[in-house]
Amino acid sequence: MGEVFPRIIPALFYAFGREPNSLEGVDEFTAIIANLRIPRTLLALLAGAALGTAGALIQGHTRNALADPDLLGINAGATLAVVSGVYFGFAGATDAAVLPALLGAGAATLVVFALSSSGATAASPLTLVLAGTAVTALLMAFVNALVITDSAALDTLRTWATGAVSGRSLAVAAAVTPSFILGTALALTQGQALNLLSMGESSARALGLNVVLRRVFGFAAIALLGGAAVSAAGPVAFIGLAAPHAARALWGPDYRVILPASLLIGALLALGADIFGRVAAPGELPMGIVLGLVGAPVFIFLVKRGKVLTP
Protein backbone atom coordinates (compact mmCIF):
# COMPACT_ATOMS: atom_id res chain seq x y z
CA MET A 1 0.00 0.00 0.00
CA GLY A 2 2.88 2.37 0.76
CA GLU A 3 4.08 2.08 -2.82
CA VAL A 4 0.61 2.50 -4.37
CA PHE A 5 -0.62 5.79 -2.92
CA PRO A 6 2.34 7.95 -4.07
CA ARG A 7 1.67 6.76 -7.62
CA ILE A 8 -2.02 7.73 -7.61
CA ILE A 9 -1.30 11.49 -7.73
CA PRO A 10 0.66 11.27 -11.02
CA ALA A 11 -2.16 9.12 -12.40
CA LEU A 12 -4.66 11.85 -11.48
CA PHE A 13 -2.58 14.47 -13.29
CA TYR A 14 -2.30 12.22 -16.31
CA ALA A 15 -6.01 11.38 -16.34
CA PHE A 16 -7.16 14.99 -16.30
CA GLY A 17 -4.77 16.10 -18.99
CA ARG A 18 -2.36 18.10 -16.79
CA GLU A 19 0.59 15.91 -17.67
CA PRO A 20 3.83 17.01 -16.02
CA ASN A 21 7.16 16.39 -17.71
CA SER A 22 7.89 13.43 -15.44
CA LEU A 23 5.00 11.51 -17.04
CA GLU A 24 6.27 11.54 -20.60
CA GLY A 25 6.92 7.83 -20.24
CA VAL A 26 3.83 6.51 -18.46
CA ASP A 27 4.12 3.15 -16.70
CA GLU A 28 1.44 0.49 -16.83
CA PHE A 29 0.10 1.21 -13.34
CA THR A 30 -0.41 4.89 -14.09
CA ALA A 31 -2.08 4.11 -17.41
CA ILE A 32 -4.52 1.66 -15.80
CA ILE A 33 -5.46 4.07 -13.01
CA ALA A 34 -5.78 7.06 -15.33
CA ASN A 35 -7.56 5.45 -18.26
CA LEU A 36 -9.68 2.80 -16.53
CA ARG A 37 -10.11 3.21 -12.78
CA ILE A 38 -10.58 6.99 -12.47
CA PRO A 39 -13.20 7.33 -15.25
CA ARG A 40 -15.33 4.41 -14.05
CA THR A 41 -15.14 5.55 -10.41
CA LEU A 42 -16.26 9.07 -11.30
CA LEU A 43 -19.04 7.78 -13.53
CA ALA A 44 -20.29 5.34 -10.88
CA LEU A 45 -20.39 8.10 -8.26
CA LEU A 46 -22.08 10.53 -10.64
CA ALA A 47 -24.70 8.05 -11.87
CA GLY A 48 -25.50 6.81 -8.36
CA ALA A 49 -25.77 10.31 -6.91
CA ALA A 50 -28.01 11.44 -9.76
CA LEU A 51 -30.32 8.43 -9.46
CA GLY A 52 -30.58 8.67 -5.68
CA THR A 53 -31.51 12.36 -5.82
CA ALA A 54 -33.92 11.89 -8.72
CA GLY A 55 -35.57 9.00 -6.88
CA ALA A 56 -36.16 11.12 -3.78
CA LEU A 57 -37.67 13.86 -5.94
CA ILE A 58 -40.05 11.61 -7.85
CA GLN A 59 -41.20 9.81 -4.71
CA GLY A 60 -41.81 13.12 -2.99
CA HIS A 61 -43.70 14.70 -5.89
CA THR A 62 -45.87 11.66 -6.56
CA ARG A 63 -46.12 10.55 -2.90
CA ASN A 64 -45.53 7.06 -4.28
CA ALA A 65 -43.16 4.72 -2.45
CA LEU A 66 -42.64 2.66 -5.62
CA ALA A 67 -41.71 5.56 -7.89
CA ASP A 68 -38.27 5.88 -9.46
CA PRO A 69 -36.88 8.13 -12.24
CA ASP A 70 -37.91 5.68 -14.97
CA LEU A 71 -41.51 6.66 -14.18
CA LEU A 72 -40.99 9.66 -16.50
CA GLY A 73 -39.84 7.45 -19.38
CA ILE A 74 -36.20 8.47 -18.92
CA ASN A 75 -34.68 5.03 -19.48
CA ALA A 76 -36.99 4.22 -22.37
CA GLY A 77 -36.26 7.51 -24.11
CA ALA A 78 -32.51 7.11 -23.72
CA THR A 79 -32.65 3.49 -24.87
CA LEU A 80 -34.59 4.38 -28.01
CA ALA A 81 -32.16 7.21 -28.80
CA VAL A 82 -29.11 4.95 -28.42
CA VAL A 83 -30.60 2.10 -30.45
CA SER A 84 -31.74 4.55 -33.13
CA GLY A 85 -28.24 6.04 -33.23
CA VAL A 86 -26.74 2.63 -33.90
CA TYR A 87 -29.45 1.73 -36.41
CA PHE A 88 -28.93 4.92 -38.42
CA GLY A 89 -25.16 4.89 -38.03
CA PHE A 90 -24.30 7.92 -35.91
CA ALA A 91 -23.75 6.40 -32.43
CA GLY A 92 -21.78 3.21 -32.84
CA ALA A 93 -19.18 3.70 -30.09
CA THR A 94 -19.98 3.69 -26.39
CA ASP A 95 -18.85 7.27 -25.85
CA ALA A 96 -20.76 8.42 -28.94
CA ALA A 97 -24.02 7.24 -27.35
CA VAL A 98 -23.85 9.82 -24.54
CA LEU A 99 -25.42 12.75 -26.38
CA PRO A 100 -28.23 10.69 -27.99
CA ALA A 101 -29.02 9.16 -24.59
CA LEU A 102 -29.15 12.56 -22.92
CA LEU A 103 -31.38 14.01 -25.64
CA GLY A 104 -33.64 10.96 -25.68
CA ALA A 105 -34.12 11.03 -21.92
CA GLY A 106 -34.99 14.72 -22.00
CA ALA A 107 -37.38 14.35 -24.93
CA ALA A 108 -39.26 11.47 -23.26
CA THR A 109 -39.63 13.48 -20.07
CA LEU A 110 -41.00 16.46 -21.98
CA VAL A 111 -43.57 14.24 -23.70
CA VAL A 112 -44.69 12.70 -20.40
CA PHE A 113 -44.93 16.10 -18.74
CA ALA A 114 -46.89 17.55 -21.69
CA LEU A 115 -49.36 14.66 -21.62
CA SER A 116 -49.84 14.91 -17.85
CA SER A 117 -50.20 18.71 -17.83
CA SER A 118 -53.50 19.01 -19.68
CA GLY A 119 -57.08 18.24 -18.80
CA ALA A 120 -59.00 18.25 -15.54
CA THR A 121 -56.35 16.23 -13.70
CA ALA A 122 -53.36 18.26 -14.92
CA ALA A 123 -50.13 17.83 -12.95
CA SER A 124 -51.62 15.21 -10.61
CA PRO A 125 -49.44 12.29 -9.53
CA LEU A 126 -51.86 9.72 -10.98
CA THR A 127 -51.88 11.41 -14.40
CA LEU A 128 -48.10 11.50 -14.37
CA VAL A 129 -47.86 7.78 -13.58
CA LEU A 130 -50.31 6.84 -16.32
CA ALA A 131 -48.65 9.08 -18.91
CA GLY A 132 -45.19 7.77 -17.99
CA THR A 133 -46.33 4.14 -18.23
CA ALA A 134 -47.95 4.69 -21.63
CA VAL A 135 -44.98 6.56 -23.10
CA THR A 136 -42.52 3.97 -21.76
CA ALA A 137 -44.50 1.13 -23.34
CA LEU A 138 -44.66 2.95 -26.68
CA LEU A 139 -40.95 3.80 -26.75
CA MET A 140 -39.91 0.26 -25.82
CA ALA A 141 -42.11 -1.07 -28.62
CA PHE A 142 -40.05 1.03 -31.06
CA VAL A 143 -36.84 -0.25 -29.43
CA ASN A 144 -37.92 -3.85 -29.89
CA ALA A 145 -38.89 -3.18 -33.50
CA LEU A 146 -35.41 -1.81 -34.24
CA VAL A 147 -33.37 -4.48 -32.47
CA ILE A 148 -35.13 -7.41 -34.15
CA THR A 149 -34.23 -5.97 -37.55
CA ASP A 150 -30.63 -4.92 -36.87
CA SER A 151 -27.99 -7.11 -35.21
CA ALA A 152 -25.68 -4.15 -34.43
CA ALA A 153 -28.49 -2.40 -32.55
CA LEU A 154 -29.18 -5.62 -30.62
CA ASP A 155 -25.50 -6.01 -29.68
CA THR A 156 -25.33 -2.39 -28.48
CA LEU A 157 -28.51 -2.75 -26.45
CA ARG A 158 -27.29 -6.00 -24.90
CA THR A 159 -24.14 -4.27 -23.63
CA TRP A 160 -25.47 -0.81 -22.83
CA ALA A 161 -28.63 -1.96 -21.03
CA THR A 162 -26.66 -3.85 -18.35
CA GLY A 163 -25.78 -0.59 -16.61
CA ALA A 164 -22.00 -0.60 -16.86
CA VAL A 165 -19.36 2.10 -16.39
CA SER A 166 -16.40 0.06 -17.62
CA GLY A 167 -14.69 1.04 -20.83
CA ARG A 168 -15.86 4.65 -20.70
CA SER A 169 -13.65 7.70 -20.77
CA LEU A 170 -13.51 10.96 -18.86
CA ALA A 171 -15.14 12.56 -21.92
CA VAL A 172 -18.39 10.87 -20.87
CA ALA A 173 -18.16 12.37 -17.37
CA ALA A 174 -17.41 15.79 -18.87
CA ALA A 175 -20.45 15.53 -21.16
CA VAL A 176 -22.95 14.68 -18.41
CA THR A 177 -21.55 16.80 -15.55
CA PRO A 178 -23.33 20.06 -16.55
CA SER A 179 -26.69 18.25 -16.54
CA PHE A 180 -25.84 16.68 -13.18
CA ILE A 181 -24.80 19.99 -11.58
CA LEU A 182 -27.87 21.88 -12.80
CA GLY A 183 -30.22 19.04 -11.81
CA THR A 184 -28.67 18.78 -8.34
CA ALA A 185 -28.90 22.53 -7.80
CA LEU A 186 -32.60 22.46 -8.69
CA ALA A 187 -33.23 19.36 -6.57
CA LEU A 188 -31.69 20.75 -3.40
CA THR A 189 -34.07 23.73 -3.50
CA GLN A 190 -37.09 21.39 -3.36
CA GLY A 191 -36.83 20.18 0.23
CA GLN A 192 -39.30 22.53 1.90
CA ALA A 193 -41.77 22.22 -0.98
CA LEU A 194 -41.75 18.42 -0.75
CA ASN A 195 -42.33 18.65 3.00
CA LEU A 196 -45.44 20.70 2.32
CA LEU A 197 -46.60 18.38 -0.49
CA SER A 198 -46.30 15.40 1.85
CA MET A 199 -49.29 16.85 3.73
CA GLY A 200 -51.38 16.86 0.54
CA GLU A 201 -51.78 19.28 -2.33
CA SER A 202 -54.69 21.16 -0.73
CA SER A 203 -52.76 21.78 2.47
CA ALA A 204 -49.67 22.81 0.49
CA ARG A 205 -51.68 25.35 -1.52
CA ALA A 206 -53.31 26.67 1.65
CA LEU A 207 -49.83 27.30 3.05
CA GLY A 208 -48.91 29.35 -0.02
CA LEU A 209 -47.08 26.79 -2.17
CA ASN A 210 -47.38 27.12 -5.95
CA VAL A 211 -47.77 23.40 -6.60
CA VAL A 212 -47.67 23.51 -10.40
CA LEU A 213 -44.53 25.66 -10.49
CA ARG A 214 -42.76 23.44 -7.97
CA ARG A 215 -43.70 20.36 -9.99
CA VAL A 216 -42.25 21.95 -13.12
CA PHE A 217 -38.94 22.60 -11.33
CA GLY A 218 -39.03 19.15 -9.76
CA PHE A 219 -39.64 17.30 -13.02
CA ALA A 220 -36.96 19.38 -14.75
CA ALA A 221 -34.49 18.32 -12.06
CA ILE A 222 -35.53 14.68 -12.40
CA ALA A 223 -35.08 14.84 -16.18
CA LEU A 224 -31.62 16.41 -15.87
CA LEU A 225 -30.46 13.97 -13.21
CA GLY A 226 -32.00 10.90 -14.80
CA GLY A 227 -30.63 11.87 -18.19
CA ALA A 228 -27.16 12.35 -16.73
CA ALA A 229 -27.28 8.97 -15.00
CA VAL A 230 -28.56 6.96 -17.93
CA SER A 231 -26.09 8.67 -20.27
CA ALA A 232 -23.20 7.89 -17.94
CA ALA A 233 -24.00 4.28 -17.07
CA GLY A 234 -26.99 3.07 -19.05
CA PRO A 235 -30.38 2.21 -17.51
CA VAL A 236 -29.42 1.34 -13.92
CA ALA A 237 -32.27 0.08 -11.74
CA PHE A 238 -32.81 -0.08 -7.97
CA ILE A 239 -30.80 2.97 -6.82
CA GLY A 240 -33.54 5.49 -7.53
CA LEU A 241 -35.98 3.33 -5.59
CA ALA A 242 -33.80 2.24 -2.67
CA ALA A 243 -31.68 5.29 -1.82
CA PRO A 244 -34.60 7.52 -0.70
CA HIS A 245 -36.04 4.71 1.41
CA ALA A 246 -32.67 4.20 3.10
CA ALA A 247 -32.40 7.94 3.75
CA ARG A 248 -35.88 8.04 5.31
CA ALA A 249 -35.14 5.01 7.48
CA LEU A 250 -31.90 6.58 8.77
CA TRP A 251 -32.80 10.25 9.10
CA GLY A 252 -36.59 10.58 9.06
CA PRO A 253 -39.12 12.20 6.72
CA ASP A 254 -37.63 15.70 6.30
CA TYR A 255 -36.87 16.15 2.59
CA ARG A 256 -34.31 18.84 3.37
CA VAL A 257 -32.27 15.94 4.74
CA ILE A 258 -33.55 13.17 2.46
CA LEU A 259 -32.41 14.84 -0.77
CA PRO A 260 -28.69 15.25 0.08
CA ALA A 261 -28.72 11.92 1.95
CA SER A 262 -30.16 10.14 -1.09
CA LEU A 263 -27.43 11.71 -3.22
CA LEU A 264 -24.76 10.31 -0.91
CA ILE A 265 -26.37 6.88 -0.50
CA GLY A 266 -26.94 6.54 -4.24
CA ALA A 267 -23.30 7.37 -4.98
CA LEU A 268 -22.09 4.81 -2.42
CA LEU A 269 -24.46 2.11 -3.72
CA ALA A 270 -23.27 2.56 -7.30
CA LEU A 271 -19.59 2.65 -6.40
CA GLY A 272 -19.94 -0.37 -4.11
CA ALA A 273 -21.75 -2.34 -6.81
CA ASP A 274 -19.09 -1.48 -9.39
CA ILE A 275 -16.25 -2.52 -7.06
CA PHE A 276 -18.05 -5.72 -6.04
CA GLY A 277 -18.70 -6.67 -9.66
CA ARG A 278 -15.06 -6.10 -10.52
CA VAL A 279 -13.37 -7.96 -7.65
CA ALA A 280 -15.87 -10.47 -6.26
CA ALA A 281 -17.18 -12.16 -9.39
CA PRO A 282 -15.26 -14.79 -11.41
CA GLY A 283 -15.65 -12.50 -14.42
CA GLU A 284 -16.47 -8.83 -14.25
CA LEU A 285 -20.16 -8.13 -13.72
CA PRO A 286 -21.66 -4.78 -14.76
CA MET A 287 -22.82 -2.47 -11.99
CA GLY A 288 -26.49 -2.75 -12.95
CA ILE A 289 -26.49 -6.53 -12.72
CA VAL A 290 -24.82 -6.47 -9.29
CA LEU A 291 -27.40 -4.02 -8.00
CA GLY A 292 -30.18 -6.30 -9.16
CA LEU A 293 -28.65 -9.52 -7.83
CA VAL A 294 -27.42 -8.22 -4.46
CA GLY A 295 -29.28 -5.02 -3.70
CA ALA A 296 -32.82 -6.07 -4.54
CA PRO A 297 -32.95 -9.08 -2.14
CA VAL A 298 -31.59 -6.90 0.68
CA PHE A 299 -34.26 -4.31 -0.04
CA ILE A 300 -36.97 -6.99 -0.07
CA PHE A 301 -35.71 -8.23 3.32
CA LEU A 302 -35.98 -4.70 4.75
CA VAL A 303 -39.52 -4.38 3.37
CA LYS A 304 -40.53 -7.64 5.03
CA ARG A 305 -39.03 -6.45 8.30
CA GLY A 306 -40.99 -3.19 8.09
CA LYS A 307 -37.82 -1.08 7.90
CA VAL A 308 -38.87 0.84 4.75
CA LEU A 309 -40.94 3.99 5.27
CA THR A 310 -43.43 5.44 2.79
CA PRO A 311 -43.08 9.04 1.58
Side-chain angles (χ1 to χ4, degrees):
M1 294 295 287
E3 296 180 0
V4 171
F5 283 108
R7 301 171 69 185
I8 292 178
I9 301 302
L12 288 170
F13 277 102
Y14 180 70
F16 289 99
R18 300 187 298 275
E19 187 175 357
N21 294 332
S22 60
L23 285 177
E24 289 180 354
V26 180
D27 60 31
E28 183 179 359
F29 176 86
T30 300
I32 290 173
I33 295 298
N35 296 326
L36 299 178
R37 297 292 184 256
I38 291 175
R40 72 184 297 168
T41 298
L42 287 177
L43 287 170
L45 290 171
L46 188 152
L51 287 171
T53 309
L57 279 175
I58 192 66
Q59 289 180 15
H61 276 287
T62 62
R63 298 170 65 196
N64 183 349
L66 299 178
D68 69 0
D70 194 36
L71 191 67
L72 295 183
I74 290 172
N75 285 353
T79 302
L80 178 59
V82 171
V83 170
S84 298
V86 175
Y87 186 84
F88 293 107
F90 59 85
T94 302
D95 288 3
V98 173
L99 183 58
L102 196 57
L103 294 176
T109 305
L110 286 175
V111 171
V112 171
F113 185 73
L115 292 175
S116 63
S117 298
S118 59
T121 58
S124 74
L126 178 59
T127 305
L128 178 72
V129 171
L130 294 175
T133 301
V135 169
T136 296
L138 178 63
L139 294 179
M140 291 309 297
F142 281 113
V143 169
N144 292 331
L146 290 176
V147 299
I148 63 174
T149 59
D150 186 86
S151 58
L154 178 60
D155 290 340
T156 299
L157 179 64
R158 187 164 50 223
T159 301
W160 185 77
T162 58
V165 291
S166 59
R168 302 199 175 197
S169 68
L170 283 175
V172 177
V176 302
T177 294
S179 176
F180 171 75
I181 292 174
L182 181 56
T184 301
L186 282 174
L188 295 180
T189 66
Q190 294 273 308
Q192 185 58 38
L194 292 177
N195 286 340
L196 295 176
L197 284 171
S198 67
M199 298 185 294
E201 291 185 19
S202 299
S203 298
R205 288 193 182 94
L207 292 171
L209 183 69
N210 187 330
V211 174
V212 174
L213 182 62
R214 286 295 181 174
R215 286 241 160 90
V216 169
F217 284 131
F219 295 156
I222 294 165
L224 289 167
L225 291 168
V230 75
S231 301
V236 178
F238 179 72
I239 292 178
L241 174 66
H245 284 288
R248 273 190 291 271
L250 291 171
W251 291 291
D254 188 346
Y255 274 95
R256 292 172 298 182
V257 178
I258 289 174
L259 287 168
S262 297
L263 183 151
L264 177 61
I265 292 170
L268 293 176
L269 283 174
L271 182 60
D274 182 53
I275 294 172
F276 184 87
R278 189 172 71 243
V279 303
E284 183 171 325
L285 283 176
M287 178 178 68
I289 294 178
V290 173
L291 285 165
L293 292 175
V294 178
V298 173
F299 187 68
I300 292 171
F301 173 75
L302 294 176
V303 171
K304 295 293 290 183
R305 293 287 302 270
K307 300 297 183 180
V308 175
L309 305 178
T310 58

